[in-house]
Amino acid sequence: MIGLISATAAGAAARDRLAAAWPDRARVYDGPVGDAVRRAFAECEQLVCFLATGAVVRLVAPLLSDKASDAGVVCVDEAGRFAVPLVGGHAGGANELAREVGELLGAVPVVTTATDAVGIPGLDTLGLPVEGDVAGVTRALLDGEPVVLDAEVAWPLPPVPFAERGAHTVRVTDRAVEPADREVLLRPPSLVVGVGASRGAPAEEVLDVIEGALRDAGLSPRSLAELATVEAKADEPGIVEAAVRLGVPLVTYSAEELAAVEVPNPSAAPLAAVGTPSVAEAAALVRGGELLVPKRKSAGVPATATCAVVRRPGRGRLAVVGLGPGARDLLTPRAKAELRRASVLVGLDQYVDQIRDLLRPGTRVLESGLGAEEERARTAVAEARRGLAVALIGSGDAGVYAMASPALAEASDDIDVVGVPGVTAALAAAAILGAPLGHDHVSISLSDLHTPWEVIERRVRAAAEADLVVTFYNPRSRGRDWQLPKALALLADHREPTTPVGVVRNASRPDGTARVTTLGLLDPATVDMMTVVTVGNTATRDIAGRMVTPRGYRWQEEPK
């Protein structure tokens, strides 16, 4: 919950805007400011105070106890110009909260933590439990000293400028080890414990067998991701309580799913009781991984609980990112976040150049030239399969004549794939032209490098007969100069020569150009591969120099 506190009418107005935007996340604290801050600090994970920073410093200073658990506090000035993370920038989430406040109120987030200032993610912001010399290793990163990554468990971390050798280490491990000097331990959620239990098994006995298995195998409970069991045990109180006390979710699978898993220690007892020869081992192994601890029984007489421990490898993450048509302000916030999250960036060299300044230090860039789309897709998927966080970039929307198709054709279910939409060339051009896509429309690429011309021609003819607005991608190049005239001729069989046609080159870019002409007057020689050509349907009109395709409502019909 986010506590909102204000002292003036202007502050209350901005406060209420946040409360309206966050109806399920925020709570307004009224009354004397000092009392409101104290109550909010005790009851909320974060605070936004529309007060002077000095006043908030004096109010929260006596309340601070531990940076790992203190609430994150953001101050917003009276004019709403700045959002300042005052306390808990990383652990309390105040830095990110300040950015959210800035987006909603039009304020500038003033983030002063050193790692954020230089673009290096804080080691305590990676989403993993962290132990050891966080301050010392972070200081080494900030000072440019070499810091080594020792990844015993592959995990998709954001980019950090690691070195091959150095005096400081970041170790990614699920083993129960103590951090050495100048070392930080990151605990990935790589361990899954499968659990079986008799009816009425005590929670203490379930916990004892789990904790004993982890301890004897030298594994850290901080890397425990989940407990898993059969659906018939989903409401078993001892298992449910164990998951709550361990702070992990309880995941269940059907008996049929578990019965299909090959395990080293099947048994007739669970087969008779719940319909599968294994619960603990099968539930741990059902989604793959390495069996570290085979089925072991609890110490009770008779034993009422069993468990098994599996290490699941970190799943690589592939984000297929659309960069939009080229203008920086048309690059979406989600795309920017994915670019900063990826430790590996794969893309066409000219697209990489567009966003190179947005990458974090330590991002590994794999770029190549025109014509290597399938190679880039294979490279991106291969890097993700190594357990890395990868961004594969394309212009416009990566799913439209771009990199998503070859990448997803190459990928399987062993990696996580995220699609990040972008503003397409057709949409960017349409916004410049007016409203040519106001009714049904279709996009067709005239490049026959990947599609036979016979197929393209059939599609153009179908669009012409269906009276669809048509946007042509890849309309004309030096080696392909006849396809656009042919396509226009097919449309001309069904449309008047006066049909409006929009021609936009480098949409949204500083050197972009746009014009509206007609089907009869368009000169294909003025079109190249950087151009999008939009041909209207029989209802499209040129109104004040803009292309407009009516939606067909009666009030838009021309008077008779």
Side-chain angles (χ1 to χ4, degrees), residues 196-202 205-206 209 269 295-307:
S198 303
R199 185 179 299 277
E205 188 165 342
V206 177
V209 70
K295 181 178 72 175
R296 64 187 279 168
K297 297 181 179 180
S298 59
V301 181
T304 62
T306 60
C307 80

Side-chain angles (χ1 to χ4, degrees), residues 155 188-195 210 214 220-229 239 242-244 246-253 258 280 282-288 307-312 315:
W155 210 259
S190 55
L191 303 178
V192 176
V193 173
V195 183
I210 293 171
L214 294 173
S220 171
R222 301 194 76 187
S223 282
L224 184 57
E226 63 189 39
L227 298 190
T229 191
I239 296 178
V244 170
L246 290 167
V248 297
L250 176 62
V251 179
T252 62
Y253 300 96
L258 299 188
L285 285 167
V286 65
R287 289 174 54 195
C307 80
V309 183
V310 162
R311 175 185 288 137
R312 287 183 188 161
R315 287 174 62 88

Side-chain angles (χ1 to χ4, degrees), residues 75-135:
C75 290
V76 181
D77 65 287
E78 181 75 4
R81 295 173 301 169
F82 304 105
V84 183
L86 189 67
V87 174
H90 285 166
N95 289 349
E96 185 57 35
L97 180 60
R99 295 186 181 99
E100 287 191 70
V101 170
E103 288 282 340
L104 289 169
L105 300 183
V108 177
V110 184
V111 178
T112 59
T113 45
T115 50
D116 294 88
V118 300
I120 296 174
L123 297 176
D124 54 352
T125 67
L126 300 182
L128 303 179
V130 60
E131 304 169 23
D133 187 12
V134 176

Side-chain angles (χ1 to χ4, degrees), residues 6-29:
S6 63
T8 66
R15 175 204 68 192
D16 291 343
R17 288 172 61 190
L18 295 186
W22 298 331
D24 300 322
R25 297 175 57 196
R27 179 187 304 158
V28 173
Y29 284 79

Side-chain angles (χ1 to χ4, degrees), residues 225-470:
E226 63 189 39
L227 298 190
T229 191
V230 68
E231 286 178 352
K233 297 295 179 180
D235 298 323
E236 186 63 44
I239 296 178
V240 173
E241 177 65 19
V244 170
R245 288 165 65 175
L246 290 167
V248 297
L250 176 62
V251 179
T252 62
Y253 300 96
S254 69
E256 291 76 14
E257 288 178 285
L258 299 188
V261 179
E262 185 175 343
V263 297
N265 299 291
S267 172
L271 179 61
V274 294
T276 173
S278 172
V279 173
E281 289 179 338
L285 285 167
V286 65
R287 289 174 54 195
E290 176 188 4
L291 184 62
L292 302 180
V293 180
K295 181 178 72 175
R296 64 187 279 168
K297 297 181 179 180
S298 59
V301 181
T304 62
T306 60
C307 80
V309 183
V310 162
R311 175 185 288 137
R312 287 183 188 161
R315 287 174 62 88
R317 188 176 190 276
L318 174 61
V320 187
V321 181
L323 300 181
R328 179 58 60 86
D329 61 349
L330 293 182
L331 178 66
T332 67
R334 187 181 301 180
K336 292 179 184 178
E338 289 293 348
L339 295 176
R340 295 177 64 78
R341 175 174 181 166
S343 61
V344 180
L345 181 86
V346 182
L348 180 67
D349 47 13
Q350 58 185 296
Y351 298 153
V352 173
D353 289 340
Q354 292 179 18
I355 48 83
R356 200 182 297 272
D357 62 301
L358 297 178
L359 305 179
R360 288 186 186 272
T363 304
R364 184 159 55 93
V365 177
L366 304 176
E367 53 189 309
S368 53
L370 287 168
E373 289 86 356
E374 293 181 355
E375 178 185 345
R376 284 194 290 275
R378 286 192 293 268
T379 297
V381 172
E383 292 291 324
R385 284 185 174 136
R386 293 176 53 207
L388 303 175
V390 182
L392 174 63
I393 60 173
S395 66
D397 184 288
V400 179
Y401 303 122
M403 294 306 302
S405 293
L408 269 62
E410 184 74 22
S412 54
D413 62 359
D414 57 346
I415 62 173
D416 295 325
V417 179
V418 178
V420 182
V423 177
T424 67
L427 295 180
I432 294 169
L433 293 170
L437 307 183
H439 211 296
D440 296 337
H441 55 274
V442 63
S443 295
I444 299 177
S445 171
L446 294 183
S447 172
D448 54 2
L449 296 177
H450 299 287
T451 306
W453 175 253
E454 294 76 12
V455 175
I456 297 173
E457 182 172 333
R458 187 166 67 247
R459 292 170 179 172
V460 174
R461 195 182 305 277
E465 294 174 351
D467 198 27
L468 298 174
V469 177
V470 181

Side-chain angles (χ1 to χ4, degrees), residues 6-49:
S6 63
T8 66
R15 175 204 68 192
D16 291 343
R17 288 172 61 190
L18 295 186
W22 298 331
D24 300 322
R25 297 175 57 196
R27 179 187 304 158
V28 173
Y29 284 79
D30 291 317
V33 168
D35 292 341
V37 169
R38 283 187 287 272
R39 285 188 290 118
F41 197 89
E43 298 171 2
C44 298
E45 292 81 20
Q46 296 174 319
L47 281 68
V48 178
C49 299

